Amino acid sequence: MNKYEAMFIVKPDLSEDEKKALFNQINDAVTKHNGNILSANIWSEKRKLFFPLKKYNEGIYYLVNFNLGPLSIKDIRQIYRLNENILRALITKVE
């Protein structure tokens, strides 16, 4: 298992219930692939973006630290790419 850090930029116009559901989906994708969530929280609420992403000028930044097998990262990235509420996702390996 490797340690990873993922930063998500999420649509800013989601309701509280939609945000909770989305954050649960993000975390569930890791746990369904036999990973462990170490920490998950909102890094910044409605931060202005440098350039528009999918016609949005603001976004909510969500940070997740987790352990996961290296073969599952490709599957996780595909799941996040298909979610319409995630504007951008960046997953990096932590040493």
Side-chain angles (χ1 to χ4, degrees), residues 7 9 20 22-23 27 33 44 68 72 74 80 85-87 93:
M7 175 67 75
I9 302 176
K20 287 179 185 178
L22 176 62
F23 297 155
N27 296 341
H33 286 85
S44 180
L68 189 67
S72 299
K74 184 177 178 181
Y80 295 149
N85 291 324
I86 298 174
L87 301 177
K93 184 178 175 185

Side-chain angles (χ1 to χ4, degrees), residues 2-6 30 33 66-81 91-93:
N2 295 330
K3 287 187 179 183
Y4 295 96
E5 182 175 78
V30 173
H33 286 85
F66 58 93
N67 291 329
L68 189 67
L71 300 176
S72 299
I73 287 296
K74 184 177 178 181
D75 298 333
I76 296 289
R77 282 195 172 124
Q78 184 64 24
I79 291 169
Y80 295 149
R81 193 174 298 127
I91 302 173
T92 57
K93 184 178 175 185

Side-chain angles (χ1 to χ4, degrees), residues 2-18:
N2 295 330
K3 287 187 179 183
Y4 295 96
E5 182 175 78
M7 175 67 75
F8 300 92
I9 302 176
V10 179
K11 288 183 180 180
D13 58 356
L14 298 176
S15 69
E16 287 299 317
D17 292 337
E18 290 172 329

